[in-house]
Amino acid sequence: MKSTSTHRAPAALGPYSQAVSKNGLVFVSGQIGIEPTSGKLLDSFDEQVAQAMRNVKNILEENNLGFGNVLKATIYLVDLENYSQFNDIYATFFESPYPAREVVEVGALPKDAQIEISMIAMA
């Protein structure tokens, strides 16, 4: 198993890797809307979604992959009322065929984030 670490995504907030890979699969840990340079959680929902997606993108790129390699995405929202707004932003990062996905409403996320995104990709 190989661990991924890049300064282009926020450092892990606990004892986990930004991503791990094995046998051609890359498992990207949940990313929230933290800007990697400042370490600051962005304010608005839209900003957090876009930044979380950029964080995932940067981790994928560190593994020589892109969103076209993503097989599965898991999305955690603090408020499902933001589902449509999330979809509008998420869709700008992908082309058809889209990866499999689930969206789950949760009570809270680290740092009081409004969204967390994890993905599984294949080389």
Side-chain angles (χ1 to χ4, degrees), residues 25-45:
L25 291 173
V26 176
F27 298 84
V28 178
S29 292
Q31 296 297 305
I32 60 177
I34 292 178
E35 199 284 316
T37 305
S38 69
K40 179 183 180 245
L41 179 68
L42 300 181
D43 294 324
S44 76
F45 178 78

Side-chain angles (χ1 to χ4, degrees), residues 2-123:
K2 176 188 165 222
S3 176
T4 298
S5 180
T6 177
H7 68 280
R8 296 175 54 220
L13 299 175
Y16 61 89
S17 299
Q18 289 173 331
V20 295
S21 58
K22 187 167 183 167
N23 298 331
L25 291 173
V26 176
F27 298 84
V28 178
S29 292
Q31 296 297 305
I32 60 177
I34 292 178
E35 199 284 316
T37 305
S38 69
K40 179 183 180 245
L41 179 68
L42 300 181
D43 294 324
S44 76
F45 178 78
D46 288 2
E47 290 172 322
Q48 287 187 30
V49 173
Q51 185 62 56
M53 291 296 289
R54 285 191 297 270
N55 293 341
V56 170
K57 177 181 181 275
N58 290 337
I59 293 168
L60 289 170
E61 287 177 351
E62 189 70 18
N63 287 277
N64 299 311
L65 301 174
F67 284 118
N69 298 95
V70 174
L71 302 172
K72 178 98 166 32
T74 302
I75 315 302
Y76 301 98
L77 295 176
V78 172
D79 186 352
L80 272 177
E81 292 286 323
N82 292 324
Y83 182 77
S84 179
Q85 193 175 345
F86 162 75
N87 275 332
D88 290 344
I89 299 165
Y90 178 88
T92 67
F93 288 87
F94 286 98
E95 294 180 11
S96 182
Y98 302 106
R101 185 186 90 182
E102 64 266 332
V103 177
V104 180
E105 184 177 54
V106 296
L109 291 167
K111 299 236 181 230
D112 291 324
Q114 298 176 55
I115 185 166
E116 185 169 357
I117 301 170
S118 66
M119 295 190 184
I120 300 170
M122 185 170 205

